[in-house]
Amino acid sequence: RKEVEQDPGPFNVPEGATVAFNCTYSNSASQSFFWYRQDCRKEPKLLMSVYSSGNEDGRFTAQLNRASQYISLLIRDSKLSDSATYLCVVNRHNAGNMLTFGGGTRLMVKP
Amino acid sequence: NAGVTQTPKFRILKIGQSMTLQCTQDMNHNYMYWYRQDPGMGLKLIYYSVGAGITDKGEVPNGYNVSRSTTEDFPLRLELAAPSQTSVYFCASSGTGNQPQHFGDGTRLSIL
C-alpha cells in the first residue's frame, strides 16, 4: 500500500461548482498534513495546512479524519484559475519525520 | 525575497555527459531535497540533506550524487547522463522535516 494515495482524476467540473478530493495515508502516527497546488510545468506551492479540527481559507476547506486516515479538500464556487493538480502531503513520522507527497489529483474547471 | 533558487532553468545534454544542477536557499533551512518529476507523474525523492555535511538517499538515487558543504547550497550532480534522466528536477527546503517544503521553480533537463 502506498504511503499516500490520491485519485489521479481528472475531475472535470463547471465554473461555480463545489468539488471535493480525498486522500488516504497509511501511517497512523502521522502528525503533519498539507495540501499543495501544482500548475502545469510549475513547482508545487503550499495551498494550506490541515489541522485536526478542520480549517478554512476562503473558498477552500480542509478536513482530517484520523480514525479513517484520510484528509479532504473542498473547493467551493470553483474558478477557472483553480485548474491545477492538488497534492496531498503527509509526514512519515518514523522515517526522519519527512513529508511524503501523493501523486496528485488533477482538477479542470470549465466555463 | 529569493527563497529557493535553481540554475539552470533549461539544459540539453548528450548521452554520457555530466553536469551539476545548482540549488541555493536563503531561508537558513536545515533540510534540503532534490526531486525529479517525469511528465504526468508525481514527485520522486532523489536525495535529501538534514544539515551541512549530512546527505542521504531517497527512493531514486542511482545515477546522481549530492554534497552539502554549506547550509545554503545543495548541488545535484549527474554523472554519465542517460535518456532515462530526462525530467524536471525540483529542489526544495524546509526548516525541519515535517514543516512545509518550499520549492525552486525547477530545472528542465533533456538528454539526447
Side-chain angles (χ1 to χ4, degrees):
Chain A
R1 182 184 175 186
K2 288 184 180 178
E3 292 181 77
V4 180
E5 292 201 68
Q6 296 184 251
D7 181 343
F11 284 56
N12 294 296
V13 302
E15 264 188 298
T18 296
V19 61
F21 313 132
N22 280 345
C23 160
T24 58
Y25 60 95
S26 61
N27 189 337
S28 60
S30 294
Q31 296 292 326
S32 300
F33 309 91
F34 309 96
W35 283 102
Y36 274 67
R37 169 192 170 127
Q38 186 175 23
D39 293 296
C40 188
R41 298 176 65 79
K42 298 285 189 179
E43 73 276 20
K45 292 183 178 178
L46 178 67
L47 178 66
M48 61 196 300
S49 302
V50 185
Y51 301 118
S52 297
S53 55
N55 49 296
E56 190 173 302
D57 182 1
R59 296 181 293 109
F60 298 84
T61 300
Q63 298 272 353
L64 168 64
N65 185 319
R66 286 190 186 276
S68 301
Q69 292 180 215
Y70 77 83
I71 67 175
S72 64
L73 178 67
L74 180 78
I75 306 174
R76 290 181 299 277
D77 188 23
S78 299
K79 312 291 185 191
L80 295 176
S81 57
D82 293 334
S83 297
T85 297
Y86 291 84
L87 308 177
C88 170
V89 184
V90 177
N91 80 303
R92 288 176 170 168
H93 187 70
N94 295 331
N97 212 21
M98 294 198 314
L99 302 182
T100 300
F101 286 76
T105 297
R106 189 173 173 206
L107 172 66
M108 298 182 68
V109 182
K110 306 204 169 179
Chain B
N1 199 9
V4 179
T5 302
Q6 292 184 236
T7 56
K9 294 196 184 321
F10 305 92
R11 183 74 184 268
I12 298 174
L13 283 181
K14 294 182 180 179
I15 294 171
Q17 288 185 319
S18 60
M19 77 165 291
T20 299
L21 282 64
Q22 301 292 344
C23 175
T24 188
Q25 52 93 7
D26 62 1
M27 296 173 283
N28 201 32
H29 283 167
N30 288 319
Y31 284 65
M32 294 188 75
Y33 316 83
W34 275 106
Y35 295 91
R36 61 176 287 174
Q37 187 174 37
D38 299 329
M41 305 296 286
L43 297 167
K44 292 184 179 178
L45 183 64
I46 304 171
Y47 271 96
Y48 67 97
S49 169
V50 302
I54 307 169
T55 63
D56 210 343
K57 296 178 180 178
E59 56 183 307
V60 289
N62 291 344
Y64 307 95
N65 279 302
V66 293
S67 60
R68 184 93 182 271
S69 57
T70 67
T71 298
E72 295 78 18
D73 300 307
F74 190 40
L76 176 72
R77 182 150 181 92
L78 278 72
E79 305 281 3
L80 296 175
S84 61
Q85 294 177 305
T86 293
S87 192
V88 180
Y89 290 84
F90 291 107
C91 179
S93 73
S94 64
T96 63
N98 63 349
Q99 289 179 328
Q101 294 178 15
H102 301 260
F103 284 79
D105 52 12
T107 294
R108 282 154 184 78
L109 180 64
S110 293
I111 298 161
L112 306 174

